[in-house]
Amino acid sequence: MKQKNTMKKITAAALCLALGLSMVGCSGSSSSQSGAASSSAAASSTAATGQKEEYKVAIVKYMDHASLDQIETNIQKELDAKSSELGVTFNYADYTFNGQGDSTTLNQIAAQLVDDQVDVVVPIATPAAQVMQAVVAEEGIPVIFAAVSDPVTAKLVDSMDAPGGLITGVSDALNTELIMEMMVAVDPDIETVGLLYSKSQDSSTKPIAEAKEYLDAHNISYVEKTGTNTDEINSAVDALIDAGVQAIFTPTDNTVMSAELSIFEKLNEAKIPHYTGANSFALNGAFFGYGVDYDDLGRETADMVVDLLVNGADPATTPVVVLAHEAATINTETCEAIGLSLDDVKEAFSTLGIGVVEITTAQNFSDLDNSN
């Protein structure tokens, strides 16, 4: 059992009351303070209505990789924008942490946030959300998660429409069937598909089951390989290549995402397209990424944080937001390397009403922007 903090538990009702009380603070980050100072009239208005002038917003990223970095950046940008607009400070600079993909580290971070008495915690990715729910929500601190693919299966919420506790957020749930259909549209004669994922990632459980269901229904065989770290993922890819798979599917799996830069070249050499559940995979060399826009997801998450803190929204009755995406991201360098025609790919996807966003390989999105 986790050792509970000795701090007195705060009930949900007490939290709602606290959000309605006037409380002045001035210790926000310099960027957020400048946003608040830019509108003295708005600040006076918030004081008059009993809102805080500063909120402690904790952001806890599960690990470093392109998708999660992208979300973190856009949460911060949107909070800065809302600081200027509303005349309050959302202090995230003092409470931003990286779990380094380690549950022990995440639990230590959670305990620290309880001691810091933050106003809200924003975990990015399912493993981070599960730890924050178990620790900080237990102490009455609300949680707004980002990029949780299946919050119900992960036991974070009772349902997508009525979470039922102190936690809600934004989901990056996949349309697995559509990804399978795009795969078949590119290669109608495909016979064997590789399924590459980590069993330790709850975010992969549902889409892998959905992929199997689709492949079984269409008489397409599949080979499963898993790994819990980069070395194991590389070994799994080698095994899939040896098995003669004609394509590989990976959902929004953080373990595989962190290994993508180390596996895409061997897949290119084997002429195997890698179909994945996020555009950041394609940024890191995969042939294909399809999922939500993580810029949008970060902004939507920040807006939910503001709605909670400033407007008093109740997480228990605030539905989980699921964003839609209408374009597939194709790495044009990889497309050429595996012998596919970009024009043919676009034509195949167009029959399903899906457009194409073109990208080239980079470590993160800022590097790609700087290269243009």
Side-chain angles (χ1 to χ4, degrees), residues 60 79 84 93 97-98 102 164 167 199 241 247 262 270 299 322 341:
V60 183
L79 288 176
S84 296
F97 298 90
N98 186 336
D102 181 76
I167 182 167
K199 286 185 177 179
I241 292 172
S262 70
R299 288 189 291 266
V322 181
S341 162

Side-chain angles (χ1 to χ4, degrees), residues 117-341:
Q117 299 184 40
V118 297
D119 293 298
V120 63
V121 178
V122 185
I124 304 175
T126 302
Q130 290 173 317
V131 172
M132 295 306 121
Q133 179 200 40
V135 180
V136 303
E138 176 79 7
E139 299 292 342
I141 299 172
V143 175
I144 303 293
F145 58 72
V148 172
S149 299
D150 188 0
V152 176
T153 299
K155 298 181 180 180
L156 295 172
V157 300
D158 293 339
S159 73
M160 300 291 276
D161 292 330
L166 280 176
I167 182 167
T168 186
V170 186
S171 172
D172 58 348
L174 280 185
N175 186 336
T176 308
E177 181 178 358
L178 183 54
I179 294 177
M180 295 294 106
E181 290 179 350
M182 285 188 273
M183 182 187 297
V184 172
V186 171
D187 184 2
D189 298 321
I190 193 167
E191 295 179 350
T192 306
V193 172
L195 302 177
L196 176 66
Y197 62 102
S198 171
K199 286 185 177 179
S200 66
Q201 295 283 317
D202 285 343
S203 60
S204 293
T205 303
K206 183 177 180 180
I208 289 296
E210 291 170 340
K212 291 177 181 179
E213 182 179 356
Y214 179 94
L215 296 169
D216 286 338
H218 291 79
N219 297 314
I220 300 171
S221 64
Y222 54 84
V223 179
E224 285 184 79
K225 295 296 177 183
T226 64
T228 60
N229 55 48
T230 295
D231 288 342
E232 290 179 3
I233 293 299
N234 270 271
S235 296
V237 168
D238 292 337
L240 289 174
I241 292 172
D242 291 342
V245 301
Q246 294 155 296
I248 293 175
F249 168 65
T250 296
T252 51
D253 189 297
N254 292 297
T255 302
V256 181
M257 175 65 238
S258 64
E260 187 65 39
L261 282 166
S262 70
I263 65 176
F264 82 92
E265 290 179 332
K266 65 175 67 179
L267 290 176
N268 288 357
E269 184 176 347
K271 310 295 184 187
I272 298 174
H274 192 187
Y275 290 82
T276 70
N279 62 354
S280 49
F281 282 90
L283 177 75
N284 284 177
F287 161 66
F288 167 104
Y290 181 82
V292 304
D293 184 316
Y294 283 123
D295 289 347
D296 291 343
L297 190 146
R299 288 189 291 266
E300 183 69 30
T301 303
D303 288 344
M304 292 186 77
V305 169
V306 174
D307 195 31
L308 169 79
L309 297 177
V310 177
N311 301 325
D314 182 1
T317 57
T318 301
V320 175
V321 173
V322 181
L323 300 181
H325 193 44
E326 298 179 351
T329 301
I330 298 297
N331 186 310
T332 55
E333 296 169 338
T334 295
C335 184
E336 181 179 1
I338 62 178
L340 291 176
S341 162

